[in-house]
């Protein structure tokens, strides 16, 4: 039977310290649910965000049979199902296991693997075989079953996008080899490509041994001497050490088309990319992303006709438009990328994405930025038609959309701890796309907030607090009382902050 979860502990961001193992691992999964005001919540791990069309259909079936029908993307490329009833029992697990989405009950919360979503599609190295090997190794390791649901693996194709997410163990493609990074440090170890996934697993198992006495959930939570010894021990068994600073932030795939020659390797220390709250159990309350959207006709993969209209972004119709400017059709494309309005997909949108995947590359890739990449190949005309249909369904297909970079936690009414309906507030404060991402939180937990450089908007009992965050540094906040116009102006000014 599926177990209900206890309430989450505060995030270290607000508590001011590392998250230690002073209680059970409260991260949700498919066998252990999280209680929320809108029903129970299940988090389905999707290693690397890679879903076949068949598995995507199974997730939709699970959402419709046991939950509210919608699918919510997380900041680790996983899927959350909300509104689950207590009666779902083992039915959810049985459905997911039958679709291959639950290969090991003991490891279901340990399969947290993010991967560069455009790997192999735009001239960058492919990571599919390494991803499958790592997932199989994790599921075959008895020790790995003890990893916290907060522990994170990352496979980076060399551009620095997921290397910037601060994973506990990161494998970075570098020519005919890989670089292995442990935690957030700047030191990496060069290893042969064939040994990459096994080296990642050994590093995770070494962390578990180091964490026994320290009581840490993640590498960053280890005391400095213990973390240094862990890196030294892993490096001694891995290979030569190199100095390669972890990118401070990384850029998510832009909505639109991507093809060979588009890949850009990120210079260490540049770019922009969010991640889940390190060490936090708050992530179950998260649904950030760019906006809300209309739904296609139930059971149909056809896009909605007619003009879009802005509406209440949390209402049942989900009719907010992403304002996608027209784009010139490409000559050809290896993949399409779309952003998902506030990370929340209606059944019609999911059907359309699944049908598009089935027609072309056969899979979807969920990104850690609550977007989706649809592998091709596409001709220019096919790409233009597919993007047009996805835009008509309310998905974001242009980086110029005002929803780009806008995120929010689930807020009211789904979360009892939230002080405001922050998704509606984010929609009301929309303006021109800003240089910096902005994240709206309903309370000090800041569930699912980004990392790197971003604008933090937190609801308070008497208004909102706005601050500029860059890594571990935070500027003194500005307080805006309950004045929607003043709040929108303050957020726009903060997002336009110069470098």
């Amino acid at each position: 039977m599926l177990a209900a979860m206890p309430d989450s502990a505060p995030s270290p961001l607000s508590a001011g310290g590392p998250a230690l193992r002073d209680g059970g691992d409260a991260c949700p999964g498919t066998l252990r649910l999280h209680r929320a005001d809108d029903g129970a919540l299940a988090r389905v791990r999707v290693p690397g965000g890679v879903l076949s069309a068949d598995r995507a259909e199974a997730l939709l079936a699970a959402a419709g049979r046991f939950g509210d029908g919608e699918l919510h993307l997380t900041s680790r490329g996983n899927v959350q199902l909300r509104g689950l009833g207590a009666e779902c029992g083992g039915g959810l697990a049985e459905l997911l296991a039958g679709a291959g989405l639950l290969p090991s009950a003991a490891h279901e919360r340990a399969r947290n693997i993010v991967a560069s979503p455009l790997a192999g599609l735009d001239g960058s190295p492919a990571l599919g075989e390494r991803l499958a090997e790592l997932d199989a190794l994790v599921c075959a390791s008895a020790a790995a079953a003890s990893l916290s649901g907060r522990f994170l693996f990352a496979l980076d194709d060399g551009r620095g996008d997921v290397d910037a997410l601060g994973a506990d163990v990161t494998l970075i493609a570098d020519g005919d080899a890989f670089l292995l990074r442990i935690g957030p440090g700047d030191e990496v170890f060069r290893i042969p490509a064939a040994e990459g996934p096994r080296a990642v697993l050994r590093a995770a198992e070494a962390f578990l041994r180091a964490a026994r006495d320290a009581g840490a959930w993640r590498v960053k939570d280890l005391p400095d001497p213990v973390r240094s010894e862990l890196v030294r021990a892993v490096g001694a068994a891995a290979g030569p050490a190199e100095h390669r600073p972890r990118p401070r932030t990384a850029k998510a795939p832009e909505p639109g088309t991507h093809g060979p020659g588009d890949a850009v390797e990120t210079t260490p220390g540049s770019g922009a990319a969010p991640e889940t709250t390190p060490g936090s159990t708050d992530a179950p309350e998260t649904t950030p992303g760019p906006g809300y959207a209309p739904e296609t006709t139930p059971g149909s993969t056809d896009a909605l006709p007619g003009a879009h209209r802005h509406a209440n972004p949390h209402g049942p119709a989900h009719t907010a438009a992403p304002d996608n400017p027209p784009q010139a059709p490409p000559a050809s494309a290896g993949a399409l990328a779309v952003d998902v309005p506030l990370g929340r997909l209606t059944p019609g949108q999911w059907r359309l994405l699944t049908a598009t995947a089935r027609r072309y590359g056969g899979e979807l890739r969920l990104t850690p930025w609550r977007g989706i990449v649809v592998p091709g190949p596409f001709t220019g005309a096919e790409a233009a038609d597919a993007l047009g249909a996805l835009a008509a369904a309310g998905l974001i297909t242009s980086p110029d959309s005002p929803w780009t970079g806008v995120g929010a936690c689930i807020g009211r009414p789904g979360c009892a701890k939230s002080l405001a309906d922050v998704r509606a507030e984010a929609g009301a404060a929309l303006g021109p796309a800003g240089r910096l991402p902005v994240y709206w939180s309903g309370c000090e937990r800041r569930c699912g907030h980004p990392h790197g450089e971003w604008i933090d908007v937190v609801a308070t009992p008497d208004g909102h607090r706005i601050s500029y965050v860059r890594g571990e540094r935070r500027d003194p906040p500005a307080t805006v009382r309950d004045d929607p116009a003043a709040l929108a102006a303050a957020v726009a000014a903060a997002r336009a902050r110069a470098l």
Side-chain angles (χ1 to χ4, degrees):
M1 295 292 289
L2 300 180
M5 296 186 62
D7 289 339
S8 300
S11 164
L13 184 68
S14 56
L20 301 179
R21 291 178 182 253
D22 54 0
D25 181 5
C27 286
T30 56
L31 302 179
R32 191 180 185 194
L33 307 184
H34 173 83
R35 290 193 302 263
D37 271 19
D38 57 352
L41 175 153
R43 182 178 298 164
V44 184
R45 266 64 179 189
V46 184
V50 178
L51 276 176
S52 68
D54 287 344
R55 289 179 178 176
E57 288 183 349
L59 280 173
L60 180 62
R65 186 179 307 174
F66 302 110
D68 62 10
E70 296 182 335
L71 299 102
H72 301 252
L73 305 185
T74 78
S75 60
R76 292 184 170 187
N78 295 319
V79 173
Q80 291 184 163
L81 309 179
R82 299 189 71 97
L84 298 171
E87 73 282 358
C88 67
L92 174 62
E94 182 179 359
L95 188 157
L96 296 177
L101 289 163
L102 189 58
S104 171
H107 297 82
E108 62 116 358
R109 290 187 293 168
R111 300 169 67 228
N112 289 306
I113 309 173
V114 295
S116 298
L118 289 172
L121 300 176
D122 61 353
S124 58
L127 296 175
E129 291 184 5
R130 307 302 181 199
L131 173 64
E133 182 181 356
L134 176 58
D135 187 31
L137 287 170
V138 169
C139 289
S141 166
S146 299
L147 288 170
S148 162
R150 311 172 193 185
F151 195 91
L152 181 63
F153 299 99
L155 298 182
D156 192 291
D157 64 7
R159 77 185 72 217
D161 54 353
V162 297
D163 187 18
L165 298 185
D168 296 282
V169 186
T170 303
L171 195 63
I172 308 159
D174 190 65
D176 59 356
F178 278 108
L179 303 176
L180 180 68
R181 189 189 305 280
I182 310 301
D186 292 339
E187 192 173 40
V188 297
F189 302 95
R190 184 169 294 276
I191 56 177
E195 298 179 15
R198 194 164 296 278
V200 169
L201 177 64
R202 285 197 298 264
E205 293 174 338
F207 161 78
L208 287 171
R209 293 190 292 272
R212 284 173 186 162
D213 296 329
W217 295 108
R218 303 194 60 189
V219 170
K220 69 180 288 293
D221 299 327
L222 292 169
D224 289 344
V226 178
R227 184 169 62 250
S228 296
E229 176 58 24
L230 170 66
V231 173
R232 187 204 63 76
V234 171
E242 300 179 14
H243 183 75
R244 177 164 171 161
R246 180 173 64 87
R248 182 178 64 251
T249 50
K251 190 173 177 62
E254 282 195 347
T257 60
H258 296 266
D262 291 347
V264 176
E265 183 172 346
T266 301
T267 301
S270 65
E275 70 169 306
T276 51
T277 306
S280 171
T281 59
D282 303 340
E285 300 295 352
T286 289
T287 8
Y292 275 100
E295 178 177 351
T296 58
T297 304
S300 170
T301 60
D302 295 328
L304 282 176
H308 297 296
R309 60 191 185 279
H310 287 286
N312 186 339
H314 65 291
H318 307 303
T319 52
D323 291 339
N324 295 299
Q327 304 292 306
S332 63
L336 307 180
V338 297
D339 282 340
V340 176
L342 287 182
R344 183 176 179 179
L345 286 148
T346 65
Q349 290 170 330
W350 190 266
R351 289 189 192 98
L352 176 60
L353 284 160
T354 303
T356 305
R358 196 175 291 283
R359 190 176 303 126
Y360 297 102
E363 70 179 29
L364 298 173
R365 298 186 184 183
L366 316 181
T367 82
W369 302 277
R370 287 142 174 121
I372 296 182
V373 169
V374 185
F378 301 84
T379 66
E382 289 170 341
D385 287 347
L387 283 176
L390 294 168
L395 298 171
I396 295 171
T397 60
S398 166
D400 297 325
S401 167
W403 282 104
T404 299
V406 178
C409 72
I410 196 68
R412 288 182 179 173
C415 176
K417 296 179 177 64
S418 180
L419 299 177
D421 185 348
V422 286
R423 289 174 294 159
E425 291 179 337
L430 277 184
R435 185 185 75 83
L436 296 174
V438 59
Y439 193 81
W440 297 70
S441 299
C443 72
E444 295 288 350
R445 292 168 173 258
R446 297 175 174 87
C447 301
H449 70 78
H451 279 238
E453 190 181 17
W454 55 289
I455 300 302
D456 179 31
V457 183
V458 180
T460 65
D462 56 356
H464 295 77
R465 196 167 58 245
I466 304 172
S467 55
Y468 167 65
V469 180
R470 185 169 184 175
E472 300 300 319
R473 294 179 294 175
R474 176 183 298 272
D475 282 3
T479 299
V480 178
R481 304 301 175 186
D482 289 321
D483 182 339
L487 179 60
V491 170
R495 295 191 70 194
R497 182 182 179 123
L499 289 169

